[in-house]
Amino acid sequence: MQFVLAAKSGYIRRKVMESESANLSCIDLSDLSIGAEVFERVAKFCYGVNFEISVRNVAALRCAAEYLQMTEEYCRGNLAARTEEFINQAAVKTLPGAVALLRSCEGPLLPMAESLRVVQRSVDAISLKACKELNRPTRSPPNWWAGELAVLSPTSLQMILIAMKSRGADPKSLAAAIVVYAENFLPHLLHPSSGASAPAGGKDGTRERSLLESVVSILLPDCDAPLPVGFIFYLLRAAIFLEASERCRRELERRASACLDQATVADLLTITLDYAGERVVDLETARRIVAGFAEREAGGGGGAVYKGDSGAAGCSAAVQKVARTVDSFVGKIASDEELSVSKFTGIAGALPKSARRFDDDLYRAVDIYLKAHPGLDEIEREKASSVIDPLKLSYEARLHASQNKRLPLQIVLHALYYDQLKQRSGMEDEAAAGAPGATLGPDHGLNADVSLIRENEALRSELARMKMYVSEMHRGGGGGGQGSGVKARSKKAMFFSSVSRTLGKLNPFKQGSKDTSNMDDGVVVDVTKPRRRRFSIS
C-alpha cells in the first residue's frame, strides 16, 4: 500500500525513503485535520477507485492534497489539480455552492484553507453573486440570498458583509442580512410568544449568550448598515436576560440611543418589562438610553438641541419626538406598584425640561403614579412632582391640577399663580392697546417689579401674622368660655378671609420676582422649598 500512496504523494514518498525499516507500516498524519473519511477518499484516489467530489468535501480534499504533496510534480492529474479544477469550475459558480464551500472550511480546517485562498475565493464569489441578486433578483423572495448566509459562522458572515460593502451594496440590504442571520440563530429570543418565560440557564444559556455576543460583534457601523430599531431593542432585551458581557450590552445601548427618535413606546417597554410583559424588571437600561440620547444631541452628535433662542420652541424635532415617547412610556409604567420614586423620576427626568414644549403628558404620568401609590408621604410626592414645570401646563392641565388633591400644594399654587399672571397681563395689554397714543415708558418694567416686590412683602407680613396667630391658638387652645370661643372663631374667620383675598392678588413664591407674563415656555422659575410645608413664609 505504501508504494501506491508514495507514487502520488511526495510526503509519503519522503517518509518511506527516510524510514530505516524496509517494510514501513505506519505513518503519523496527526497534523492533518481532515478526518478518517476524507483520508479514505484520498486513498481511493491513489488506488484509482471512483468517488464523488462535492462542495462539502472538496475543501478538505484540497487541504489533504496540499499536506500530502499530491501535485503534478509527482503525477499528472493529481489530487491537488483535480480539487482546484472542481473549486473553480463548479463550487464557486453558484451562491449556494460557494456558501457550502465556505462553511466546510470553518473549524480546524480554516488555517490551511485560508493559506490556499479557498476561503477568500468563496467570500469573493458569495459577495459578487449576492450583489448581483440585489440589483437583479432571480428568485423570490428577493432577499433569498440572506437566508443562504444564515448557516455560516459569524466570522464568515462578517467577511462577506465587508466584501459586499466594498462592492457598493445598499446598507439596508446589509442590515436585512444581519436581521435574517440573527433570527435564524436566536429565533425564540427575538420573537418570543406571548407569556414566554425568561431564557434558559445552564449550558443552554451559555450557548445562547455566546451566539448573541457573536452576532453583536459582527454588527457593522450604524452608517454602513442601519439596523431596524425594533431589532436592536430585541437584541438588547435578550442581552439583558442572558446576562451578556458589559461590552455587548453597552454597544447595544449605544445603538439604541442613536436611533431613539425612531423608537416607540413598545420598544422601550421591550427592554423594561419581563418576558411575560407583566412587571417592570429593568428601568436603568432605559434611563441610560434616554440619557445617552440627550448627551448625543447636546454634544452635537445628532444635531444641536436648540436651533433658536426661544427655549423649547427651538428644540430639534428629534428631541421633541423622544420627549413625547418618554412621557408616554412613563405613563405606561407609572401604575407599577413596585416602582420607586427615585426610579420614576430618574427616567421621567432623563431629558432636560427644555426638551418639552408642554408638560401635559408628563403631568398625566405623574398623576397616574401618585394615584397608584397613595402611601407616599409629602416629601415623596413633591419629589415625584418635581419633574413637572407648572409653567408649561396647558390651561386644561392647570385647571385639572388646581383641583387635584394628590398634587403637592406648591405645584397647585404655581399653576394658579401663573394663570393669574396671564389674566392680569392680558387685561393690561388690552387696556394699553385701547388707549390712543399710549406708550410704555422705559421705567414701566421697573415700576412693575417694584409693585410686585411690595406685594410680596405684604404677603409675607400676612403669612407671618397667620403663623403667629396659629401658634397662639395652639398654646391657649383649651382656655376661655363660650363667649370668648365665639369671639375667637369670628376673629379667625375674618383673619383667614383677609389672607385669602391677599393670596388672590399677590405672588407667594419669590422675593423680588419679575413679571412673568412675557416669559418663554422654556424658562423655569426656581421655587425655594419651604422649611415647613403649607404655612411657611420662607
Side-chain angles (χ1 to χ4, degrees), residues 418-432 515-519:
Y418 184 61
D419 266 346
Q420 230 177 47
L421 284 182
K422 296 283 283 187
Q423 292 174 3
R424 185 171 64 181
S425 175
M427 289 187 295
E428 291 177 354
D429 291 344
E430 289 177 3
D515 189 352
T516 59
S517 60
N518 297 319
M519 183 180 295

Side-chain angles (χ1 to χ4, degrees), residues 124 127 131 159-169 174:
D124 290 342
S127 61
C131 288
M159 290 190 294
I160 294 171
L161 294 177
I162 293 174
M164 292 179 65
K165 177 192 170 186
S166 66
R167 295 179 183 274
L174 302 181

Side-chain angles (χ1 to χ4, degrees), residues 206-417:
T206 302
R207 178 179 175 275
E208 290 177 341
R209 186 184 309 112
S210 177
L211 289 175
L212 175 64
E213 292 175 354
S214 298
V215 170
V216 174
S217 67
I218 69 172
L219 298 181
L220 296 174
D222 300 336
C223 57
D224 294 336
L227 298 171
V229 178
F231 173 72
I232 294 175
F233 277 88
Y234 272 117
L235 279 181
L236 181 54
R237 196 248 308 256
I240 293 171
F241 283 94
L242 288 173
E243 298 181 356
S245 66
E246 187 79 4
R247 180 179 179 181
C248 173
R249 283 181 287 174
R250 292 296 177 264
E251 171 63 17
L252 291 173
E253 287 178 10
R254 183 193 65 79
R255 290 176 178 270
S257 295
C259 60
L260 188 59
D261 57 318
Q262 305 170 36
T264 63
V265 176
D267 293 326
L268 288 173
L269 290 174
T270 296
I271 60 172
T272 303
L273 304 179
D274 58 5
Y275 264 71
E278 297 177 352
R279 62 188 185 90
V280 175
V281 293
D282 182 13
L283 198 59
E284 184 61 21
T285 300
R287 188 199 65 78
R288 284 197 299 267
I289 290 173
V290 177
F293 171 83
E295 293 175 2
R296 179 186 177 92
E297 292 291 316
V305 175
Y306 299 110
K307 293 184 178 179
D309 299 328
S310 57
C315 280
S316 66
V319 174
Q320 295 186 42
K321 184 177 186 300
V322 170
R324 291 193 296 270
T325 302
V326 170
D327 292 348
S328 299
F329 166 71
V330 174
K332 292 287 186 182
I333 64 174
S335 58
D336 185 82
E337 296 180 356
E338 299 179 1
L339 185 61
S340 65
V341 176
S342 59
K343 289 184 177 180
F344 174 79
T345 55
I347 185 65
L351 285 174
K353 290 187 176 181
S354 56
R356 300 174 176 87
R357 187 170 179 81
F358 296 103
D359 275 10
D360 288 19
D361 291 340
L362 191 56
Y363 165 71
R364 176 179 175 274
V366 170
D367 188 41
I368 293 173
Y369 182 78
L370 295 178
K371 185 176 182 180
H373 300 79
L376 298 178
D377 58 29
E378 183 72 8
I379 295 178
E380 290 174 326
R381 290 193 295 119
E382 288 180 359
K383 183 178 180 181
S385 304
S386 64
V387 296
I388 307 173
D389 183 355
L391 303 185
K392 288 187 178 181
L393 296 178
S394 65
Y395 173 77
E396 291 78 9
R398 289 197 299 272
L399 183 62
H400 186 276
S402 66
Q403 303 172 5
N404 193 342
K405 297 181 179 180
R406 291 183 288 271
L407 289 177
L409 180 61
Q410 65 178 15
I411 299 294
V412 176
L413 290 177
H414 233 136
L416 290 174
Y417 179 66

Side-chain angles (χ1 to χ4, degrees), residues 31-48:
D31 293 340
L32 183 59
S33 304
I34 59 173
E37 184 179 353
V38 174
F39 186 76
E40 181 183 357
R41 287 189 171 88
V42 173
K44 286 183 177 180
F45 176 81
C46 293
Y47 277 93

Side-chain angles (χ1 to χ4, degrees), residues 166-180:
S166 66
R167 295 179 183 274
D170 181 17
K172 291 184 179 180
S173 300
L174 302 181
I178 294 175
V179 172
V180 172

